[in-house]
Amino acid sequence: VEATADLGTPRAYGYWELVWLRLRRDRIAVVSAVALLLVFLICFVGEPVAEHFLGHGPNDIFPMAVDINLVPAPAWTRVPNTHGVVTVTPHTPRTLFVLGASDNVGHDLFLRILAGGRTSLEVAIGAATLAVLIGVFIGLLAGYYGGWIDAIVTRLTEFVMGFPILLFMIAIGFTLSDRLRQITLGGLFAHGVIALVVLIGVFSWFYPARVVRAQVLALRESEFVEAARMVGASDARILRKHLLPHVVGTIVVYATLMVATTIFLEAALSYLGVGISLPDASWGNIIAQQYGTLLHPGPARPEGGGPIPNYNELWASLFPTIGIVVSVFAFNLLGESLQNALDPRRKL
Amino acid sequence: MPAYIVRRLLSGLLMLFAITLVTFAAFRLIPLPPGCLLVPCGPNTFTNDAQIRAAEHKLGADKPVPVQYAKFIWRIVRHGSFGRSWSGGSIDQSMRAALPRTASVLLGGVVLLLLLAIPLGAISALHSQTLIDRAVLFFALFGIALHPLMVGVGLTRFFVGYLHVAPDGLYCHFWPSKPPPLPPNTPPQYAPPFCSGPLAWAHHLMLPWLTFALFFLPLYTRMIRARFLETLDTQYVMAARGRGVSETRLIRSHALRPALMPLVTMVGLDLGGALMACIYIETIYGLGGIGSVMLGALSTGNATYDLPLIAALFFVIAAFAIFVTFVVDVLYAWLDPRVRIA
């Protein structure tokens, strides 16, 4: 009698439980999630810890970290700590630069990579979230109600796909964001993070809106919506309780892929001179600083191009590049795995 | 078909006016007096309001926005010219200087992209589920994580700094021409570098094209592979195989055309992204196209903006985008007979 009770009825799995189980069995998803977790831990937790142990911050300037030709110090150098010191003597306390100096002003490269990663990921996740929120809201309305709002969304998306929206971003980034740049929410974010989040978010909600609109357009005519309407559900309730759950999967996938593109966009905007501005670090502006941007040309190169001897531009841009490649790659793979895991027709 | 073309053209024109109107209106919302282009403004200057107003009157920026917009459009329609920018230069001239540069990067980049993506996708589809296919797919997956910024810097380091086989960032005019005359009393060694002719043009644009192609290659290779696999599965390909058609001929005359069809649409739809890539690339290689015109129009020293120049730029790009969409539709009809008949 006891044994039959043990067998019992098989446990039923909910949809999200199944998604989670599928994800856990997907090796690529696990690897990319672990990689992302590591990147986040290093940037968000590791940075303050490293700052505490090294005794200086990512934005502190150490004039002695560059030699007389303004060539930055190599990796693992103990640099005289010139803060609060009138004259530098051989006995001046020194502070450790783990990966050397990042530029000819004498910033610590190691800390800047970590702090830059934090800024870049904040911008990427913030902007993707904002874009998806706006996109889902407008996409739901456009798909459900149709009419003029639908016409506007469709035209806008068509226009955005054919037009280099980057030009608008440069224009607005240049002129408007000076005031936005000062918003840091009480020092929680670096200068310009909020400005970039708004800038990128406002110019990239078209794509999620288009995807959501197409889905809602098809779902609008389905029986369950009709049934809900028949029992007297309001439009708001149908949108919230019946249509939104259907598009959540797509949205999650889209948001993941969008974070990846936004990491790129942040780097590119920094390169064009409208991203995170110095002295705050981001992966984009560390790279841009090494090669110069359009408005602030980089270190002069000898006649006929080629690298400056002893200058560590490749070294300094190597780590942010690795950071960008790893996180973009991992976000893309995770997005594709999510797409498979969220497919309800998939077997466990 | 003619009615369809006319309707497309009309809606394109409407779009063009809408875009420029939005540009004009949007930029006037920016709280920066345009007069600051001519007179010093800011906290530590002694310019009074009257002087700023006088400067704005001189620029024509004191008139209502619709009047300014109408003037802008009238100049284009009546004289075929964009007139002068607020900073004083001729807009036509700066457009004539910048547009060929961006267009060269875009055109060559697209050609190189197709030359690389079609064979790669075809090879990968023909040898699907083999080592070759896996290698191409892995490259495609990894390539998504590379930005033109990094690719450009890497290519420059390797080809210019290490191998010394490519020139470093200079635009050469396609048509052979003479260098512009030097200012008087300039020693010849201070002459700015100059080159022209189709060969020099292609040689100097090699790396930008490669950067452009590499940026879009992963996506396009994957898509062409998928389309090829789909086409190779159809019954008419199977029938051709049964008739004993050779593999080469099969691809050339049976599988290629349907596999290329969505490519045309995609090239058209991705135009915005492609132009954005061009802006990065011409910045990385210092070629000076529309991206630098835009930045030049915005960073005029006094933190204000050069509206006529920006509006002209948007006008030209929007016209180009609308034109390309139009051409894509026509091309699509040419590739797919079903569209032509319908």
Side-chain angles (χ1 to χ4, degrees), chain A residues 159 161-162 164 166-168 170-171 174-175 264 268 271 291 294 301 305 307 313 321 324-325 329 332-333 336, chain B residues 15 19 27 30-31 141 144-145 147 149-150 153 157 168 222 269 272 275-276 280 284 294-295 298 314 317 321:
Chain A
F159 166 66
M161 287 178 93
L166 188 69
L167 285 180
F168 274 117
I170 297 173
F174 246 96
T175 43
F264 272 166
Y271 187 75
Y291 298 95
L294 197 57
R301 296 212 225 149
E313 52 180 14
T321 309
I324 293 176
V325 169
F329 199 35
N332 270 317
L333 289 179
E336 282 189 18
Chain B
M15 193 83 180
I19 290 166
F27 272 90
I30 293 172
L141 213 55
I144 296 174
H147 195 261
L149 196 64
M150 304 188 256
V153 166
R157 284 290 293 214
D168 190 20
R222 275 174 91 177
L269 278 183
L275 279 171
M276 269 156 76
Y280 304 135
I284 296 167
M294 188 70 192
L295 285 174
L298 287 162
F314 280 12
I317 296 172

Side-chain angles (χ1 to χ4, degrees), chain A residues 155-156 158-172 174-176 178-179 210 264-265 267-269 271-272 274 284 287-288 291 293-295 301 304-308 311 313-314 317 320-322 324-326 328-329 332-333 336, chain B residues 15 19 22-23 27 29-32 138 141-147 149-150 153 156-157 160-162 164 168 215 222 268-273 275-276 279-280 282-285 290-292 294-295 298-299 303-305 310 313-314 317-318 321:
Chain A
R155 290 281 152 259
L156 260 179
E158 261 172 32
F159 166 66
V160 166
M161 287 178 93
F163 195 85
I165 219 65
L166 188 69
L167 285 180
F168 274 117
M169 285 199 197
I170 297 173
I172 293 180
F174 246 96
T175 43
L176 263 194
D178 260 1
R179 235 164 290 173
R210 185 162 151 272
F264 272 166
L265 203 53
L269 285 175
Y271 187 75
L272 294 174
V274 283
I287 299 178
Y291 298 95
T293 62
L294 197 57
L295 293 180
R301 296 212 225 149
I308 303 165
Y311 189 69
E313 52 180 14
L314 200 63
S317 52
T321 309
I322 291 176
I324 293 176
V325 169
V326 166
V328 170
F329 199 35
N332 270 317
L333 289 179
E336 282 189 18
Chain B
M15 193 83 180
I19 290 166
V22 167
T23 319
F27 272 90
L29 294 176
I30 293 172
L32 292 167
F138 176 78
L141 213 55
F142 188 72
I144 296 174
L146 289 175
H147 195 261
L149 196 64
M150 304 188 256
V153 166
T156 318
R157 284 290 293 214
V160 182
Y162 185 69
H164 302 287
D168 190 20
F215 183 50
R222 275 174 91 177
L269 278 183
D270 254 358
L271 184 70
L275 279 171
M276 269 156 76
I279 295 175
Y280 304 135
E282 68 196 24
T283 313
I284 296 167
Y285 291 99
I290 55 170
S292 58
M294 188 70 192
L295 285 174
L298 287 162
S299 54
T304 180
Y305 55 95
I310 294 169
L313 193 63
F314 280 12
I317 296 172

Side-chain angles (χ1 to χ4, degrees), chain B residues 23-98:
Chain B
T23 319
F24 255 86
F27 272 90
R28 291 318 303 260
L29 294 176
I30 293 172
L32 292 167
C36 294
L37 262 180
L38 298 187
V39 292
C41 297
N44 292 319
T45 49
F46 299 99
T47 318
N48 58 27
D49 278 0
Q51 281 168 311
I52 294 181
R53 272 202 301 278
E56 266 167 28
H57 180 73
K58 203 173 160 197
L59 294 174
D62 54 343
K63 298 199 178 62
V65 177
V67 174
Q68 285 187 52
Y69 180 68
K71 273 192 160 175
F72 175 76
I73 292 297
W74 178 247
R75 209 175 286 129
I76 296 172
V77 174
R78 181 68 186 80
H79 304 288
S81 151
F82 289 116
R84 296 202 156 270
S85 75
W86 280 351
S87 15
S90 158
I91 298 179
D92 297 341
Q93 235 168 45
S94 57
M95 288 291 152
R96 228 173 283 139

Side-chain angles (χ1 to χ4, degrees), chain B residues 100 104 171-177 195-202 205 209:
Chain B
S104 309
Y171 178 78
C172 302
H173 298 278
F174 183 76
W175 304 113
S177 55
C195 53
S196 64
L199 262 180
W201 174 77
L205 283 171
W209 288 343

Side-chain angles (χ1 to χ4, degrees), chain A residues 30-313:
Chain A
V30 172
V31 170
S32 44
V34 168
L36 283 180
L37 209 65
L38 264 177
V39 170
F40 272 78
L41 268 180
I42 292 172
C43 292
F44 283 82
V45 182
E47 199 270 331
V49 173
E51 210 174 306
H52 178 258
F53 281 109
L54 292 173
H56 57 262
N59 295 350
D60 294 344
I61 290 172
F62 292 89
M64 303 292 277
V66 290
D67 72 4
I68 195 135
N69 296 320
L70 292 182
V71 174
W76 209 266
T77 315
R78 289 178 189 281
V79 173
N81 191 348
T82 39
H83 286 253
V85 175
V86 182
T87 46
V88 180
T89 64
H91 305 293
T92 309
R94 286 171 177 250
T95 181
L96 180 66
F97 272 38
V98 177
L99 292 178
S102 76
D103 45 37
N104 45 25
V105 191
H107 288 120
D108 185 345
L109 178 60
F110 176 62
L111 286 179
R112 279 184 89 72
I113 290 164
L114 300 189
R118 208 173 58 187
T119 320
S120 289
L121 292 171
E122 276 168 7
V123 169
I125 291 178
T129 313
L130 181 67
V132 165
L133 283 181
I134 304 176
V136 167
F137 182 70
I138 293 182
L140 276 176
L141 292 185
Y144 188 67
Y145 289 111
W148 59 269
I149 182 164
D150 188 32
I152 289 179
V153 169
T154 328
R155 290 281 152 259
L156 260 179
T157 320
E158 261 172 32
F159 166 66
V160 166
M161 287 178 93
F163 195 85
I165 219 65
L166 188 69
L167 285 180
F168 274 117
M169 285 199 197
I170 297 173
I172 293 180
F174 246 96
T175 43
L176 263 194
S177 68
D178 260 1
R179 235 164 290 173
L180 268 173
R181 247 185 251 282
Q182 301 309 319
I183 306 172
T184 57
L185 295 188
L188 195 60
F189 299 107
H191 287 274
V193 168
I194 303 284
L196 265 191
V197 164
V198 171
L199 191 65
I200 298 176
V202 161
F203 278 109
S204 43
W205 58 263
F206 312 96
Y207 297 95
R210 185 162 151 272
V211 174
V212 170
R213 172 192 165 268
Q215 275 206 340
V216 172
L217 209 59
L219 287 170
R220 183 170 70 168
E221 312 296 337
S222 54
E223 282 91 357
F224 65 89
V225 173
E226 209 175 320
R229 200 173 293 139
M230 202 189 68
V231 296
S234 65
D235 280 352
R237 188 182 165 82
I238 292 175
L239 280 173
R240 206 177 62 237
K241 285 276 173 185
H242 296 273
L243 292 176
L244 189 60
H246 275 270
V247 293
V248 164
T250 326
I251 296 165
V252 171
V253 173
Y254 214 88
T256 321
L257 298 178
M258 209 153 169
V259 172
T261 20
T262 316
I263 293 176
F264 272 166
L265 203 53
E266 185 275 325
L269 285 175
S270 289
Y271 187 75
L272 294 174
V274 283
I276 305 286
S277 47
L278 300 173
D280 289 305
S282 78
W283 281 340
N285 76 14
I286 296 173
I287 299 178
Q289 224 185 334
Q290 305 308 318
Y291 298 95
T293 62
L294 197 57
L295 293 180
H296 308 280
R301 296 212 225 149
E303 220 31 63
I308 303 165
N310 296 328
Y311 189 69
N312 67 348
E313 52 180 14

Side-chain angles (χ1 to χ4, degrees), chain B:
Chain B
M1 194 75 183
Y4 174 71
I5 289 180
V6 168
R7 205 168 58 229
R8 288 287 328 229
L9 276 176
L10 278 181
S11 78
L13 268 180
L14 205 68
M15 193 83 180
L16 195 58
F17 287 117
I19 290 166
T20 39
L21 188 61
V22 167
T23 319
F24 255 86
F27 272 90
R28 291 318 303 260
L29 294 176
I30 293 172
L32 292 167
C36 294
L37 262 180
L38 298 187
V39 292
C41 297
N44 292 319
T45 49
F46 299 99
T47 318
N48 58 27
D49 278 0
Q51 281 168 311
I52 294 181
R53 272 202 301 278
E56 266 167 28
H57 180 73
K58 203 173 160 197
L59 294 174
D62 54 343
K63 298 199 178 62
V65 177
V67 174
Q68 285 187 52
Y69 180 68
K71 273 192 160 175
F72 175 76
I73 292 297
W74 178 247
R75 209 175 286 129
I76 296 172
V77 174
R78 181 68 186 80
H79 304 288
S81 151
F82 289 116
R84 296 202 156 270
S85 75
W86 280 351
S87 15
S90 158
I91 298 179
D92 297 341
Q93 235 168 45
S94 57
M95 288 291 152
R96 228 173 283 139
L99 288 176
R101 295 161 187 245
T102 305
S104 309
V105 174
L106 183 67
L107 205 71
V110 169
V111 169
L112 189 63
L113 168 69
L114 295 182
L115 281 182
L116 288 176
I118 295 172
L120 267 181
I123 288 170
S124 170
L126 283 177
H127 303 270
S128 75
Q129 306 304 329
T130 63
L131 197 64
I132 303 174
D133 184 33
R134 296 270 159 76
V136 170
L137 275 190
F138 176 78
F139 156 75
L141 213 55
F142 188 72
I144 296 174
L146 289 175
H147 195 261
L149 196 64
M150 304 188 256
V151 175
V153 166
L155 286 179
T156 318
R157 284 290 293 214
F158 188 68
F159 285 105
V160 182
Y162 185 69
L163 287 185
H164 302 287
V165 288
D168 190 20
L170 177 68
Y171 178 78
C172 302
H173 298 278
F174 183 76
W175 304 113
S177 55
K178 286 216 168 61
L182 286 177
N185 301 327
T186 314
Q189 65 263 35
Y190 290 119
F194 182 85
C195 53
S196 64
L199 262 180
W201 174 77
H203 186 213
H204 280 250
L205 283 171
M206 227 163 44
L207 289 185
W209 288 343
L210 195 57
T211 315
F212 183 93
L214 283 179
F215 183 50
F216 288 101
L217 198 53
L219 188 66
Y220 281 74
T221 309
R222 275 174 91 177
M223 204 199 49
I224 292 171
R225 175 182 175 274
R227 284 295 299 194
F228 254 101
L229 281 179
E230 244 171 64
T231 322
L232 289 178
D233 247 9
T234 54
Q235 293 195 331
Y236 67 88
V237 170
M238 221 186 294
R241 274 221 175 101
R243 284 202 308 274
V245 174
S246 75
E247 226 28 37
T248 342
R249 199 192 144 94
L250 187 77
I251 291 194
R252 209 185 50 230
S253 45
H254 289 85
L256 194 61
R257 197 182 253 219
L260 290 189
M261 229 144 28
L263 198 68
V264 173
T265 330
M266 205 165 158
V267 169
L269 278 183
D270 254 358
L271 184 70
L275 279 171
M276 269 156 76
C278 282
I279 295 175
Y280 304 135
I281 289 166
E282 68 196 24
T283 313
I284 296 167
Y285 291 99
L287 299 175
I290 55 170
S292 58
V293 171
M294 188 70 192
L295 285 174
L298 287 162
S299 54
T300 43
N302 269 324
T304 180
Y305 55 95
D306 197 334
L307 185 56
L309 190 53
I310 294 169
L313 193 63
F314 280 12
F315 184 90
V316 169
I317 296 172
F320 176 68
I322 289 162
F323 173 72
V324 168
T325 329
F326 180 72
V327 168
V328 163
D329 283 347
V330 173
L331 257 183
Y332 203 74
W334 176 68
L335 274 173
D336 190 348
R338 283 170 298 182
V339 178
R340 235 176 305 168
I341 294 161

